[in-house]
Amino acid sequence: MSVLIVGSIAIDNIKTQLEEHRELLGGSASYASVSASFFAPVNLVGIVGSDFPKEHIDLLKSRAVDLEGLQIADGKTFRWSGEYEWDMNQRKTLSVELNVFETFSPKLPEAYKKTPIVLLGNISPSLQKHVLEQVDNPRFVVADTMDLWITTTRNELLDLLKGIDLLVLNDGEARQLTEETSLVKAARSILRLGPKYVAIKKGEHGCLLLSKDRFFSCGAFPLEDIHDPTGAGDTFAGGFAGYLASLEKDSFEFDDLKKAVVYGTLLASFCVEAFSLERLKQITKKELDDRYQLFKLMSHFEVIE
Amino acid sequence: MSVLIVGSIAIDNIKTQLEEHRELLGGSASYASVSASFFAPVNLVGIVGSDFPKEHIDLLKSRAVDLEGLQIADGKTFRWSGEYEWDMNQRKTLSVELNVFETFSPKLPEAYKKTPIVLLGNISPSLQKHVLEQVDNPRFVVADTMDLWITTTRNELLDLLKGIDLLVLNDGEARQLTEETSLVKAARSILRLGPKYVAIKKGEHGCLLLSKDRFFSCGAFPLEDIHDPTGAGDTFAGGFAGYLASLEKDSFEFDDLKKAVVYGTLLASFCVEAFSLERLKQITKKELDDRYQLFKLMSHFEVIE
């Protein structure tokens, strides 16, 4: 089963307190597509400029990411520069150039309109909705969002929430959206806005998944060194959607979603071990499955085997 | 198998942004003893003044806490006043009166000297060591500590670490003690200082348990409302030590410690649902075991049953 992924495709310049790398492949759709491709074919919807390096196109092609929905427009690709503080939890945006992204109005190829799993990566809620409206009766819709959209396009976001299955956001954003301090209360408040499920990412502390009557707490995979947190959330969402697609089911149980959260978490743990998609594109499915087994040992407190 | 617990016994005044309660039973040994008493008999070592209310003595007696090691001295009981911010993560100490605690020099009753499990609750490292030296060949020693001792009596703390099995501290304190940002690196650095195990408490994000070659990540039990976080760490340590004692073993496996961490976590989750020991003293072993089963469902991502 395929996953449709829409989001940004960017050229990033990233600075940490130890390293600086320029002209990197970035953007929510890039991370999410490569992550989902561990499990399922991906239909990518996005836009780049005529300056977009061929090596990045080749990378996506090598991962069985379908590029019929990728527009290559005259002009420059979306660019983002950011810098991380010592603890890698705080980042500041140094510059953003929307470039060709400014006039992006995605039109889905016919072949994409029946994709069963949809991931609306982190772009404006109105663009997310515009894409969703073109999909014919999807089985499961995941949407990612961020503080910017909660602040600037709150009504559009609230409108979008009525039509999705899972909202993914971080703890600060969940508190911002709901004005609740307790994450459990914040999650319940989000569920009342429409989604059947909500996943709250807590960075180095893992992730919570909630439905009206179920709860799953997933720790983060322990890492000694984090080189670049960029794209961790997008990688999480991509791995989640890809794993669901791989199940080839008509509908999903909470236990399916728990495993999807774990795979998303583990793919994100690989992502942050290097800059850009460098680590993600190197690892094998076997390395991912080995980390899954190890993580199970680390998280379960009664092992029946 | 019994647990020896040494720590403070206090009268607390506690203010949150919603409530204020005065003249409460508090102190690390009070919380830890009631928590451990769910699993094992407790030998309590501590000091109170002649003003200490009889109802608190009666509570401890009702929990099968042995009070032969409790000194009742002329003078006033140790007193602490604190206030929590809105998010319950930040607290400030409003006042401390050491009173009879100032000259506390614990002398173990003969009957306590062979207690197999020892919990050195959060008091100065030199007092902790003074108690430990009086115990004859304990099987497992847990020590709790805090930022104050890391700052003011670092050498005494480092000395103590050489003789214990498990150090319990929170994430900020682990970073402070080791000057490492990564909690995994901080934990490894602590293990090099002596303890075989380290438990790093992360408040609302749960707890990590590490040995040289094993790792366990335990989420927090999700609560909609936290009324008073005071004593959560002491309750965690008491539940941990009590559970180990209940196993009646000569030595402990990592899997034993994982379950001890879970029981400690769950007892702490009850603790914060009300002020002082109000909730802890109400719950039954069955309520605790029910929460254990629920928590297993919430934490395991593959359930074999």
Side-chain angles (χ1 to χ4, degrees):
Chain A
M1 206 181 268
S2 302
V3 185
L4 185 145
I5 295 179
V6 61
S8 59
I9 300 169
I11 302 295
D12 287 350
N13 292 329
I14 295 169
K15 212 172 149 179
T16 67
Q17 299 299 307
L18 294 172
E19 289 172 86
E20 179 167 3
H21 292 267
R22 305 181 67 80
E23 302 290 315
L24 302 169
L25 175 58
S28 58
S30 311
Y31 283 101
S33 296
V34 171
S35 181
S37 74
F38 281 89
F39 300 103
V42 174
N43 294 332
L44 178 62
V45 177
I47 190 167
V48 295
S50 48
D51 61 343
F52 192 65
K54 182 174 172 301
E55 61 175 292
H56 299 336
I57 299 277
D58 292 342
L59 168 64
L60 293 168
K61 280 186 182 162
S62 77
R63 306 294 308 195
V65 176
D66 187 288
L67 300 181
E68 195 188 337
L70 178 67
Q71 298 174 35
I72 300 178
D74 286 340
K76 286 173 72 183
T77 303
F78 176 48
R79 286 179 163 265
W80 178 79
S81 298
E83 180 172 354
Y84 290 89
E85 304 293 332
W86 265 114
D87 75 355
M88 298 284 191
N89 288 322
Q90 303 294 322
R91 86 170 170 203
K92 55 174 184 248
T93 292
L94 300 176
S95 72
V96 179
E97 298 171 33
L98 287 179
N99 298 329
V100 297
F101 205 77
E102 196 157 6
T103 54
F104 180 43
S105 176
K107 187 173 179 317
L108 258 52
E110 273 309 309
Y112 282 21
K113 291 186 177 172
K114 291 194 180 303
T115 318
I117 309 292
V118 176
L119 169 54
L120 306 170
N122 184 12
I123 50 175
S124 78
S126 52
L127 269 184
Q128 291 175 314
K129 195 177 179 193
H130 178 67
V131 169
L132 184 57
E133 284 171 343
Q134 298 175 60
V135 187
D136 188 14
N137 207 12
R139 291 189 206 174
F140 200 95
V141 180
V142 179
D144 197 354
T145 194
M146 71 186 291
D147 49 0
L148 177 67
W149 314 122
I150 297 172
T151 311
T152 60
T153 59
R154 190 181 178 90
N155 287 338
E156 290 83 345
L157 178 61
L158 292 177
D159 186 41
L160 179 78
L161 292 185
K162 293 174 192 153
I164 66 168
D165 295 283
L166 168 72
L167 179 67
V168 176
L169 74 182
N170 73 31
D171 46 1
E173 291 157 359
R175 288 178 168 129
Q176 186 193 354
L177 178 59
T178 62
E179 295 176 352
E180 292 282 3
T181 307
S182 149
L183 288 182
V184 181
K185 282 191 174 173
R188 294 206 199 291
S189 168
I190 290 167
L191 294 174
R192 284 192 292 272
L193 298 173
K196 281 197 278 295
Y197 306 98
V198 58
I200 301 182
K201 299 170 291 176
K202 303 185 296 174
E204 64 169 332
H205 302 300
C207 172
L208 305 177
L209 174 71
L210 284 99
S211 70
K212 270 202 186 64
D213 53 7
R214 296 290 301 274
F215 181 97
F216 174 53
S217 167
C218 181
F221 186 83
L223 295 172
E224 297 214 10
D225 288 299
I226 293 176
H227 286 273
D228 173 17
T230 310
D234 309 310
T235 302
F236 171 86
F240 181 99
Y243 176 75
L244 278 198
S246 75
L247 297 177
E248 304 282 343
K249 283 180 156 187
D250 289 335
S251 65
F252 302 98
E253 309 290 322
F254 194 77
D255 287 343
D256 298 327
L257 272 64
K258 281 163 75 166
K259 285 197 209 172
V261 162
V262 172
Y263 274 116
T265 296
L266 296 179
L267 281 159
S269 77
F270 282 112
C271 172
V272 303
E273 287 181 342
F275 276 72
S276 182
L277 288 95
E278 290 307 311
R279 187 85 177 101
L280 272 189
K281 72 187 193 194
Q282 276 173 357
I283 59 164
T284 61
K285 183 67 167 41
K286 179 167 184 315
E287 279 175 274
L288 175 60
D289 287 332
D290 287 350
R291 193 167 279 192
Y292 181 96
Q293 291 305 324
L294 186 59
F295 192 58
K296 196 166 84 171
L297 276 176
M298 290 174 176
S299 310
H300 291 204
F301 46 86
E302 274 184 20
V303 182
I304 290 128
E305 302 136 298
Chain B
M1 207 180 268
S2 302
V3 185
L4 185 144
I5 295 178
V6 62
S8 59
I9 301 168
I11 302 295
D12 288 349
N13 293 329
I14 295 170
K15 210 174 151 179
T16 67
Q17 300 299 307
L18 294 172
E19 288 172 87
E20 179 168 2
H21 292 268
R22 305 180 67 81
E23 302 289 315
L24 303 169
L25 174 58
S28 57
S30 310
Y31 283 101
S33 296
V34 171
S35 181
S37 75
F38 281 89
F39 300 102
V42 173
N43 294 331
L44 177 63
V45 178
I47 190 167
V48 295
S50 48
D51 60 343
F52 192 66
K54 184 175 171 299
E55 60 176 291
H56 300 334
I57 299 277
D58 292 342
L59 168 64
L60 293 168
K61 280 185 180 161
S62 76
R63 307 293 308 195
V65 175
D66 188 288
L67 300 180
E68 195 188 337
L70 178 67
Q71 296 174 37
I72 300 178
D74 286 342
K76 286 172 73 184
T77 302
F78 175 49
R79 285 179 165 266
W80 178 79
S81 298
E83 179 172 356
Y84 290 89
E85 304 292 333
W86 266 113
D87 74 355
M88 296 283 191
N89 287 322
Q90 304 295 322
R91 85 171 170 203
K92 55 175 185 245
T93 292
L94 300 175
S95 72
V96 178
E97 297 170 35
L98 287 178
N99 298 328
V100 297
F101 205 77
E102 195 156 8
T103 54
F104 181 43
S105 177
K107 189 173 178 317
L108 257 53
E110 274 308 309
Y112 283 21
K113 292 188 177 172
K114 291 196 181 301
T115 319
I117 309 292
V118 177
L119 169 54
L120 306 170
N122 185 10
I123 50 174
S124 79
S126 52
L127 268 185
Q128 290 175 313
K129 195 179 180 193
H130 179 66
V131 169
L132 184 56
E133 284 171 344
Q134 297 175 60
V135 187
D136 188 14
N137 207 13
R139 291 188 207 175
F140 200 95
V141 180
V142 179
D144 197 355
T145 195
M146 70 186 292
D147 49 359
L148 177 67
W149 314 122
I150 297 171
T151 311
T152 61
T153 60
R154 188 180 181 91
N155 287 338
E156 291 83 345
L157 178 61
L158 293 177
D159 186 41
L160 178 79
L161 292 185
K162 292 174 193 154
I164 66 168
D165 295 284
L166 168 72
L167 179 67
V168 176
L169 73 183
N170 73 32
D171 47 359
E173 291 157 358
R175 289 178 167 129
Q176 185 192 355
L177 179 58
T178 61
E179 296 177 350
E180 292 282 2
T181 308
S182 148
L183 288 182
V184 181
K185 282 191 175 174
R188 294 207 198 289
S189 167
I190 289 167
L191 294 175
R192 284 193 291 272
L193 298 173
K196 282 196 278 294
Y197 306 99
V198 57
I200 301 182
K201 298 170 291 177
K202 303 184 296 174
E204 64 169 331
H205 302 299
C207 172
L208 305 177
L209 174 71
L210 284 101
S211 69
K212 270 200 186 67
D213 53 7
R214 297 289 302 272
F215 182 97
F216 174 53
S217 168
C218 183
F221 186 83
L223 296 173
E224 298 214 11
D225 288 299
I226 293 177
H227 286 272
D228 173 15
T230 310
D234 310 310
T235 302
F236 171 85
F240 181 99
Y243 176 76
L244 277 197
S246 75
L247 297 178
E248 303 282 343
K249 282 181 157 186
D250 289 335
S251 65
F252 302 98
E253 309 290 324
F254 194 77
D255 286 344
D256 298 327
L257 273 65
K258 281 162 74 165
K259 284 196 209 172
V261 162
V262 172
Y263 274 115
T265 297
L266 296 179
L267 282 159
S269 77
F270 282 111
C271 173
V272 303
E273 289 180 342
F275 276 72
S276 184
L277 288 94
E278 290 306 311
R279 186 84 177 102
L280 272 190
K281 73 186 192 195
Q282 277 174 355
I283 60 163
T284 60
K285 183 68 166 43
K286 181 169 183 313
E287 279 176 274
L288 176 60
D289 288 333
D290 287 349
R291 193 168 277 194
Y292 181 95
Q293 291 306 324
L294 185 59
F295 192 57
K296 197 166 83 172
L297 276 176
M298 290 175 175
S299 310
H300 290 205
F301 46 88
E302 275 184 18
V303 181
I304 290 128
E305 301 136 298

